[in-house]
Amino acid sequence: MAEILLLHHSLGLTKGIHAFADELRGAGHTVHVPDLFDGHLFTTIEDGMAYVDEIGFEEITERGIRVASEFPREIIYAGFSLGVVAAQKLAQTREAARGALLFYSCVPTSMFGCPWPTELPVQIHGMDADPYFVDGGDIEAACELVTTAGHAELFLYPGDQHLFADNSLPSYDANATRLLLQRVLEFLQHLDN
């Protein structure tokens, strides 16, 4: 079974993030969900990002990097939106990573000064009309990653919601989340084989 470090989005460590982690735990995986916001929760992406701006984007990313040092290097890094930055950086630069799961976001691999490790498996999930994912350049970064990595998959779901797999939010899409979870569990099972 896999061990996963799961980093939350800009609304904080919501009940929906815990629920998602519990789905993975229910399949036998170990999932760590640290709180990078010191207990702060937000109801809009704008409010969450205002908090990130106040603390500092780099500081929030570094919190994710620091918390990873508490866990084995042989781990899968996963992130939702904001959490993708630290998860992707860790997967791309920390030796012995087992894989990466990037939800709603992807950044250019050049951001971290080295190429994506060719044999490191990655899945990227986003909605095909999500303005954050499509208009923000994330989909281009995801397509580039898929073409350069040896084991990469990009899954697009119909819809325009950003945080669609968080069941505590109005943006939740049960059908898309069901398919996303199925694909994630298959990814994790494949890593165990």
Side-chain angles (χ1 to χ4, degrees):
M1 293 290 111
E3 187 168 4
I4 303 156
L5 177 61
L6 181 62
L7 302 175
H8 63 74
H9 49 60
S10 63
L11 302 189
L13 188 52
T14 62
K15 290 179 181 178
I17 297 288
H18 284 293
F20 189 92
D22 287 343
E23 289 282 346
L24 301 180
R25 289 181 185 119
H29 304 291
T30 300
V31 186
H32 309 282
V33 286
D35 186 350
L36 305 181
F37 280 11
D38 299 322
H40 292 89
L41 291 170
F42 302 94
T43 56
T44 69
I45 292 171
E46 293 75 22
D47 289 346
M49 290 309 294
Y51 175 74
V52 170
D53 289 343
E54 181 182 315
I55 300 298
F57 188 85
E58 288 297 322
E59 170 57 22
I60 296 297
T61 301
E62 285 306 310
R63 287 179 184 184
I65 305 297
R66 284 194 300 268
V67 77
S69 67
E70 301 170 18
F71 302 107
R73 288 182 173 270
E74 298 81 13
I75 199 166
I76 295 159
Y77 299 102
F80 287 99
S81 191
L82 173 71
V84 162
V85 179
Q88 185 175 334
K89 181 175 183 178
L90 285 159
Q92 191 172 326
T93 64
R94 194 172 191 225
E95 190 178 333
R98 292 196 58 218
L101 294 163
L102 311 179
F103 304 109
Y104 330 132
S105 186
C106 186
V107 297
T109 57
S110 60
M111 185 170 169
F112 306 122
C114 63
W116 186 264
T118 307
E119 297 305 313
L120 184 67
V122 57
Q123 273 190 352
I124 307 157
H125 300 263
M127 284 198 157
D128 61 6
D130 167 11
Y132 293 98
F133 189 67
V134 175
D135 300 336
D138 296 68
I139 195 166
E140 286 87 1
C143 289
E144 179 188 342
L145 178 51
V146 167
T147 62
T148 58
H151 306 282
E153 298 173 291
L154 169 60
F155 295 108
L156 295 176
Y157 304 81
D160 62 0
Q161 297 301 310
H162 188 54
L163 307 176
F164 69 87
D166 186 322
N167 70 7
S168 66
L169 303 176
S171 55
Y172 177 63
D173 184 315
N175 291 331
T177 300
R178 191 176 305 111
L179 183 54
L180 180 149
L181 275 166
Q182 176 188 324
R183 289 166 167 166
V184 166
L185 291 172
E186 288 170 0
F187 176 84
L188 296 174
Q189 183 178 19
H190 181 72
L191 290 181
D192 285 337
N193 292 336

